[in-house]
Amino acid sequence: AQSVTQLDSQVPVFEEAPVELRCNYSSSVSVYLFWYVQYPNQGLQLLLKYLSGSTLVESINGFEAEFNKSQTSFHLRKPSVHISDTAEYFCAVSGQNSGGSNYKLTFGKGTLLTVNP
Amino acid sequence: GAGVSQSPSNKVTEKGKDVELRCDPISGHTALYWYRQSLGQGLEFLIYFQGNSAPDKSGLPSDRFSAERTGGSVSTLTIQRTQQEDSAVYLCASSLRTRPLVYGYTFGSGTRLTVV
């Protein structure tokens, strides 16, 4: 079965500082990788996804993530954070091993990003 | 509707009682998921509906949990004889396509269930 590890449960940073939220997943024949964001008192929203092609994917609000197959990682980065980026971030993976599905996501436990002034 | 609607938003129930959680997906979405988000845990897959196909119930944690989807639209998740460990946020998501992971799906805001 797939597994996802988010190494940091909480990441406090100051506004305008860079941030990296780490995500590692168990290996699979092929994977789809996702980052979801959950703002306070809101539902989950898709932030970005890797399906195939370029290993660097970007979101519209300045986040990016790079798929690294050799390290089985999909870390999320932003060069300069804003207070409005305060939220919980979830890494998720769907893989296709034998008998696997292409519709079920396995989520990490989440990383709470707190941006302080 | 404009988004995935879940009701109630909050539910407090006594241990041993039955509860029903409702999900109203985006109109026309054929795929519907239920996930559970427990405190300090990631999201746990519960069940998946896709059109008229048999649902994937492999994530339901016990036989006290059941779900149905009527008319390919509204879904109800039922928990019988609730236990304290059932306390969690129950999330519903829906998607338009048959390959929801490619085309994306939309989450509702969830139902926060507290069993006392």
Side-chain angles (χ1 to χ4, degrees):
Chain A
Q2 287 284 347
S3 67
V4 177
T5 302
Q6 291 184 244
L7 295 167
D8 306 300
S9 59
Q10 297 187 53
V11 174
V13 295
F14 288 108
E15 194 173 18
E16 298 183 5
V19 70
E20 178 180 82
L21 307 184
R22 296 179 291 171
C23 173
N24 290 88
Y25 62 93
S26 59
S27 182
S28 178
V29 173
S30 63
V31 290
Y32 296 157
L33 294 158
F34 305 81
W35 277 98
Y36 279 83
V37 59
Q38 187 173 32
Y39 297 103
N41 301 315
Q42 294 187 28
L44 273 83
Q45 302 172 33
L46 179 65
L47 186 61
L48 47 76
K49 62 185 177 184
Y50 169 79
L51 303 179
S52 65
S54 173
T55 58
L56 184 66
V57 291
E58 299 178 351
S59 72
I60 59 173
N61 58 352
F63 282 94
E64 65 179 29
E66 186 162 18
F67 169 53
N68 188 318
K69 187 174 182 179
S70 63
Q71 296 186 3
T72 61
S73 68
F74 191 56
H75 301 330
L76 182 69
R77 302 184 182 95
K78 189 171 185 179
S80 176
V81 294
H82 302 290
I83 289 178
S84 59
D85 293 324
T86 293
E88 189 150 23
Y89 292 79
F90 293 90
C91 181
V93 61
S94 176
Q96 294 196 28
N97 289 322
S98 58
S101 70
N102 65 349
Y103 55 77
K104 190 186 302 184
L105 285 178
T106 300
F107 284 83
K109 293 185 178 182
T111 298
L112 178 62
L113 174 65
T114 303
V115 182
N116 298 301
Chain B
V4 177
S5 178
Q6 291 189 246
S7 60
S9 56
N10 281 284
K11 175 72 175 178
V12 180
T13 190
E14 293 180 352
K15 180 181 174 181
K17 294 287 181 67
D18 298 352
V19 295
E20 285 190 352
L21 312 180
R22 177 188 169 105
C23 173
D24 201 342
I26 294 172
S27 178
H29 278 199
T30 59
L32 188 148
Y33 298 76
W34 283 97
Y35 281 85
R36 178 167 70 174
Q37 185 178 16
S38 302
L39 188 63
Q41 303 294 316
L43 276 75
E44 173 189 13
F45 169 81
L46 297 178
I47 190 169
Y48 167 70
F49 295 92
Q50 175 55 271
N52 295 321
S53 302
D56 177 351
K57 303 180 180 181
S58 61
L60 295 178
S62 76
D63 59 9
R64 296 187 294 105
F65 288 73
S66 62
E68 62 178 21
R69 189 177 183 191
T70 54
S73 181
V74 172
S75 177
T76 303
L77 177 69
T78 301
I79 308 173
Q80 295 178 312
R81 305 180 303 282
T82 52
Q83 303 295 313
Q84 288 185 330
E85 61 262 28
D86 299 334
S87 296
V89 177
Y90 289 82
L91 294 167
C92 177
S94 71
S95 177
L96 177 61
R97 304 287 188 154
T98 56
R99 295 177 67 195
L101 294 185
V102 175
Y103 296 105
Y105 49 82
T106 304
F107 278 95
S109 296
T111 294
R112 182 176 297 278
L113 176 66
T114 304
V115 182
V116 297

XYZ file of all heavy atoms in Angstrom, chain A residues 32 34 36 38 41-46 49 51 88 90 93-96 101-110, chain B residues 33 35 37 40-45 48 56 58-59 89 91 98-110:
454
model
N 0.895 9.680 -9.234
C 0.396 11.042 -9.352
C 0.613 11.676 -7.972
O 0.329 11.053 -6.948
C -1.097 11.070 -9.684
C -1.495 10.477 -11.015
C -2.788 10.020 -11.215
C -0.605 10.386 -12.081
C -3.196 9.484 -12.422
C -1.000 9.847 -13.292
C -2.288 9.400 -13.463
O -2.691 8.862 -14.666
N 0.238 15.216 -5.387
C -0.605 16.385 -5.172
C -0.202 17.099 -3.890
O 0.257 16.477 -2.933
C -2.080 15.976 -5.029
C -2.613 15.172 -6.169
C -2.361 13.798 -6.240
C -3.355 15.757 -7.166
C -2.849 13.043 -7.296
C -3.851 15.001 -8.234
C -3.589 13.658 -8.285
N -2.448 19.648 -1.369
C -3.706 20.308 -1.054
C -3.456 21.284 0.083
O -2.612 21.056 0.950
C -4.775 19.299 -0.630
C -5.459 18.613 -1.784
C -4.879 17.512 -2.401
C -6.680 19.063 -2.261
C -5.494 16.887 -3.469
C -7.308 18.442 -3.334
C -6.705 17.351 -3.926
O -7.326 16.734 -4.988
N -5.478 23.619 3.173
C -6.702 23.810 3.949
C -6.541 25.068 4.789
O -5.828 25.054 5.808
C -6.987 22.594 4.826
C -8.325 22.633 5.529
C -8.626 21.333 6.253
O -7.718 20.650 6.734
N -9.893 20.958 6.332
N -10.891 26.932 8.815
C -12.353 26.843 8.686
C -12.831 26.705 7.248
O -13.960 27.094 6.932
C -13.015 28.057 9.337
C -12.667 28.170 10.812
O -12.708 27.178 11.537
N -12.285 29.352 11.243
N -11.975 26.176 6.391
C -12.363 25.955 5.002
C -12.065 24.510 4.600
O -11.369 23.784 5.303
C -11.618 26.918 4.070
C -11.979 28.377 4.269
C -11.356 29.273 3.218
O -11.097 28.834 2.100
N -11.114 30.512 3.584
N -12.618 24.114 3.456
C -12.347 22.781 2.924
C -10.996 22.718 2.232
O -10.330 23.726 2.041
N -10.613 21.515 1.828
C -9.349 21.332 1.121
C -9.455 21.853 -0.306
O -10.457 21.662 -0.978
C -8.971 19.856 1.058
C -8.202 19.322 2.235
C -9.163 18.964 3.339
C -7.382 18.112 1.841
N -8.378 22.479 -0.742
C -8.303 22.981 -2.114
C -7.043 22.421 -2.754
O -5.989 22.361 -2.122
C -8.239 24.507 -2.130
C -9.397 25.206 -1.451
C -9.158 26.694 -1.348
O -8.534 27.303 -2.222
N -9.652 27.294 -0.284
N -7.162 22.031 -4.022
C -5.986 21.562 -4.741
C -5.043 22.738 -4.988
O -5.437 23.764 -5.528
C -6.408 20.934 -6.068
C -5.280 20.418 -6.945
C -4.554 19.260 -6.264
C -5.832 19.976 -8.296
N -0.382 19.800 -8.790
C -0.321 18.361 -9.009
C 0.754 18.021 -10.030
O 1.049 18.817 -10.927
C -1.670 17.814 -9.482
C -2.142 18.392 -10.807
C -3.542 17.895 -11.167
C -4.029 18.554 -12.457
N -5.423 18.156 -12.780
N 1.405 14.980 -12.711
C 0.872 13.781 -13.358
C 1.935 13.145 -14.254
O 2.124 11.932 -14.274
C -0.369 14.133 -14.178
C -1.511 14.797 -13.400
C -2.672 15.121 -14.338
C -1.982 13.900 -12.265
N -2.957 24.660 6.633
C -2.398 23.315 6.724
C -2.241 22.766 5.311
O -3.147 22.915 4.472
C -3.294 22.393 7.556
C -2.642 21.059 7.861
C -3.110 20.459 9.173
O -4.201 20.816 9.634
O -2.364 19.616 9.734
N -1.322 19.493 2.837
C -1.328 18.033 2.777
C -0.731 17.563 1.457
O -1.148 18.011 0.386
C -2.758 17.485 2.875
C -3.417 17.717 4.198
C -4.159 18.853 4.429
C -3.279 16.780 5.224
C -4.769 19.062 5.660
C -3.888 16.982 6.451
C -4.636 18.121 6.672
N -0.726 11.160 -2.652
C -0.203 10.359 -3.761
C -1.215 9.322 -4.183
O -1.978 8.800 -3.365
C 1.133 9.675 -3.354
C 0.934 8.735 -2.182
C 1.746 8.930 -4.531
N -1.249 9.064 -5.470
C -1.986 7.930 -5.988
C -1.048 7.161 -6.877
O -0.413 7.740 -7.753
C -3.190 8.373 -6.806
O -3.823 7.241 -7.374
N -0.910 5.880 -6.616
C 0.027 5.101 -7.389
C -0.648 3.923 -8.025
O -1.736 3.530 -7.614
N 0.013 3.339 -9.001
C -0.546 2.193 -9.683
C 0.402 1.031 -9.565
O 1.206 0.774 -10.452
C -0.828 2.516 -11.151
C -1.912 3.564 -11.291
C -2.465 3.615 -12.690
O -2.458 2.637 -13.416
N -2.953 4.768 -13.096
N -5.386 1.281 -7.573
C -6.428 2.065 -8.220
C -5.860 3.380 -8.686
O -4.843 3.853 -8.175
C -7.579 2.317 -7.244
O -7.162 3.218 -6.237
N -6.542 3.983 -9.633
C -6.098 5.291 -10.092
C -7.057 6.374 -9.652
O -7.137 7.425 -10.256
C -5.942 5.294 -11.607
C -7.276 5.092 -12.314
O -8.272 4.745 -11.667
N -7.300 5.291 -13.606
N -7.834 6.134 -8.607
C -8.771 7.146 -8.151
C -8.656 7.419 -6.653
O -9.277 8.325 -6.138
C -10.214 6.738 -8.477
C -10.611 5.376 -7.934
C -10.920 5.200 -6.594
C -10.677 4.275 -8.763
C -11.281 3.970 -6.091
C -11.041 3.034 -8.268
C -11.351 2.884 -6.940
O -11.705 1.647 -6.453
N -7.864 6.625 -5.943
C -7.807 6.747 -4.492
C -6.536 7.466 -4.088
O -5.446 7.126 -4.533
C -7.824 5.358 -3.863
C -8.001 5.331 -2.375
C -7.866 3.909 -1.850
C -8.856 2.950 -2.472
N -8.764 1.610 -1.870
N -6.673 8.490 -3.262
C -5.511 9.219 -2.770
C -5.107 8.748 -1.383
O -5.959 8.468 -0.549
C -5.822 10.718 -2.706
C -5.852 11.494 -4.025
C -6.234 12.939 -3.760
C -4.517 11.421 -4.723
N -3.802 8.684 -1.157
C -3.252 8.474 0.176
C -2.647 9.789 0.622
O -1.793 10.347 -0.068
C -2.188 7.373 0.167
O -2.776 6.146 -0.282
C -1.622 7.172 1.560
N -3.082 10.288 1.763
C -2.643 11.582 2.254
C -1.598 11.444 3.355
O -1.621 10.479 4.135
C -3.831 12.361 2.828
C -4.754 12.949 1.806
C -5.758 12.174 1.237
C -4.631 14.272 1.413
C -6.617 12.714 0.293
C -5.487 14.819 0.466
C -6.482 14.046 -0.086
N -0.727 12.443 3.436
C 0.128 12.593 4.605
C -0.666 13.201 5.743
O -1.839 13.567 5.584
N -0.014 13.328 6.909
C -0.713 13.824 8.087
C -0.813 15.347 8.133
O -1.437 15.895 9.028
C -0.028 13.309 9.348
C -0.158 11.802 9.515
C 0.425 11.319 10.829
C 0.221 9.809 10.975
N 0.741 9.306 12.270
N -0.184 16.009 7.186
C -0.320 17.448 7.096
C 0.800 18.195 7.783
O 1.424 17.700 8.738
N -16.497 10.857 -3.263
C -15.665 10.220 -2.247
C -16.125 10.661 -0.856
O -16.583 11.784 -0.669
C -14.215 10.708 -2.343
C -13.458 10.424 -3.596
C -13.688 11.139 -4.757
C -12.434 9.472 -3.603
C -12.940 10.905 -5.890
C -11.689 9.247 -4.730
C -11.938 9.965 -5.876
O -11.198 9.732 -7.001
N -14.014 10.895 2.835
C -12.769 10.762 3.577
C -13.040 11.147 5.032
O -13.991 11.869 5.339
C -11.684 11.694 3.023
C -10.989 11.212 1.775
C -11.540 11.455 0.520
C -9.776 10.529 1.845
C -10.887 11.025 -0.637
C -9.125 10.101 0.696
C -9.690 10.358 -0.539
O -9.044 9.931 -1.682
N -11.050 12.788 8.468
C -9.862 13.507 8.941
C -9.909 13.541 10.456
O -10.693 14.278 11.049
C -9.837 14.935 8.373
C -8.602 15.729 8.707
C -8.620 17.102 8.072
O -9.659 17.581 7.622
N -7.465 17.760 8.021
N -4.835 15.271 14.200
C -3.433 14.892 14.107
C -3.128 13.834 13.066
O -1.983 13.398 12.958
N -4.133 13.442 12.326
C -3.957 12.409 11.292
C -4.222 12.993 9.915
O -4.837 14.037 9.766
C -4.924 11.238 11.544
C -4.784 10.590 12.894
C -3.451 9.905 13.048
O -2.969 9.209 12.155
N -2.812 10.099 14.191
N -3.758 12.304 8.935
C -4.072 12.700 7.567
C -5.486 12.286 7.214
O -6.257 11.841 8.058
N -5.809 12.449 5.958
C -7.130 12.041 5.505
C -7.148 10.545 5.208
O -6.238 10.026 4.571
C -7.514 12.811 4.241
C -8.108 14.185 4.473
C -7.038 15.175 4.859
C -8.853 14.650 3.241
N -8.189 9.916 5.653
C -8.340 8.469 5.494
C -9.486 8.204 4.530
O -10.622 8.638 4.755
C -8.623 7.870 6.874
C -8.961 6.412 6.894
C -9.427 5.967 8.272
O -9.720 6.831 9.125
O -9.532 4.753 8.487
N -9.192 7.480 3.457
C -10.207 7.128 2.471
C -11.256 6.219 3.091
O -10.927 5.254 3.796
C -9.539 6.426 1.293
C -10.481 5.779 0.331
C -11.127 6.510 -0.636
C -10.735 4.401 0.408
C -12.002 5.902 -1.526
C -11.596 3.793 -0.475
C -12.240 4.541 -1.443
N -15.823 5.203 -2.227
C -15.810 5.891 -3.523
C -16.982 5.400 -4.350
O -17.195 4.196 -4.487
C -14.493 5.588 -4.219
C -14.406 5.946 -5.677
C -14.369 7.280 -6.083
C -14.314 4.946 -6.652
C -14.256 7.604 -7.423
C -14.201 5.273 -7.996
C -14.168 6.599 -8.378
O -14.048 6.918 -9.704
N -16.520 1.387 -4.162
C -15.348 0.838 -3.481
C -15.491 1.166 -2.000
O -15.286 2.306 -1.601
C -14.081 1.446 -4.072
C -12.817 0.979 -3.377
O -12.902 0.302 -2.322
O -11.732 1.298 -3.861
N -13.723 -0.237 0.439
C -12.586 -0.853 1.115
C -12.054 -0.046 2.289
O -11.363 -0.584 3.149
C -11.458 -1.101 0.105
O -11.020 0.125 -0.460
N -12.375 1.229 2.367
C -11.862 2.055 3.442
C -12.770 2.170 4.653
O -12.370 2.752 5.667
N -13.535 14.856 11.428
C -14.187 15.630 10.374
C -14.373 14.705 9.181
O -13.409 14.090 8.708
C -13.360 16.870 9.967
C -14.028 17.609 8.810
C -13.176 17.801 11.162
N -15.210 14.348 5.358
C -15.130 15.169 4.153
C -15.699 14.419 2.954
O -15.432 13.229 2.773
C -13.680 15.550 3.871
C -13.018 16.479 4.886
C -11.521 16.515 4.666
C -13.590 17.872 4.789
N -14.367 10.593 -15.192
C -14.126 9.212 -14.772
C -12.691 9.017 -14.296
O -12.351 7.973 -13.793
C -14.405 8.241 -15.921
O -13.609 8.611 -17.042
C -15.874 8.272 -16.292
N -11.851 9.986 -14.484
C -10.486 9.925 -13.976
C -10.272 11.133 -13.075
O -9.599 12.089 -13.427
C -9.475 9.925 -15.120
C -9.570 8.694 -16.000
C -8.598 8.776 -17.161
N -7.227 8.715 -16.720
C -6.185 9.039 -17.473
N -6.382 9.469 -18.713
N -4.951 8.940 -17.006
N -10.864 11.049 -11.900
C -10.869 12.241 -11.041
C -9.480 12.723 -10.653
O -9.290 13.908 -10.387
C -11.677 11.803 -9.814
C -11.752 10.337 -9.877
C -11.619 9.948 -11.308
N -8.516 11.844 -10.614
C -7.195 12.305 -10.205
C -6.516 13.111 -11.298
O -5.628 13.909 -11.028
C -6.319 11.120 -9.799
C -6.799 10.399 -8.541
C -5.818 9.332 -8.164
C -6.978 11.363 -7.398
N -6.935 12.899 -12.521
C -6.365 13.673 -13.620
C -7.064 15.014 -13.723
O -6.427 16.052 -13.877
C -6.491 12.900 -14.948
C -6.000 13.750 -16.114
C -5.694 11.610 -14.883
N -8.379 14.989 -13.604
C -9.147 16.215 -13.816
C -9.460 16.955 -12.530
O -10.002 18.039 -12.549
C -10.433 15.884 -14.581
C -10.149 15.350 -15.967
C -10.282 14.006 -16.254
C -9.714 16.201 -16.975
C -10.000 13.513 -17.516
C -9.432 15.717 -18.238
C -9.575 14.373 -18.507
O -9.291 13.891 -19.750
N -9.136 16.342 -11.409
C -9.295 17.031 -10.134
C -10.652 16.827 -9.515
O -11.614 16.500 -10.207
N -10.723 16.934 -8.218
C -12.023 16.935 -7.571
C -12.101 17.990 -6.496
O -11.095 18.534 -6.041
C -12.433 15.551 -7.073
C -11.450 14.771 -6.271
C -11.302 14.998 -4.910
C -10.711 13.747 -6.839
C -10.429 14.240 -4.153
C -9.838 12.988 -6.086
C -9.709 13.234 -4.745
O -8.854 12.482 -4.000
N -13.345 18.304 -6.089
C -13.654 19.414 -5.198
C -14.156 18.888 -3.869
O -15.050 18.041 -3.837
C -14.737 20.317 -5.826
O -14.300 20.759 -7.109
C -14.983 21.536 -4.943
N -13.564 19.380 -2.797
C -13.970 18.970 -1.454
C -15.046 19.887 -0.906
O -15.069 21.088 -1.188
C -12.776 19.030 -0.495
C -11.873 17.835 -0.546
C -10.746 17.832 -1.342
C -12.140 16.716 0.230
C -9.893 16.731 -1.373
C -11.293 15.616 0.206
C -10.180 15.623 -0.599
N -15.932 19.325 -0.076
C -16.813 20.113 0.747
C -16.082 20.577 2.005
O -14.918 20.232 2.225
N -16.777 21.358 2.824
C -16.163 21.904 4.037
C -16.174 20.926 5.194
O -15.575 21.186 6.228
C -16.871 23.194 4.449
O -16.693 24.179 3.456
N -16.903 19.818 5.015
C -16.847 18.776 6.024
C -17.919 18.865 7.093
O -18.560 19.907 7.286
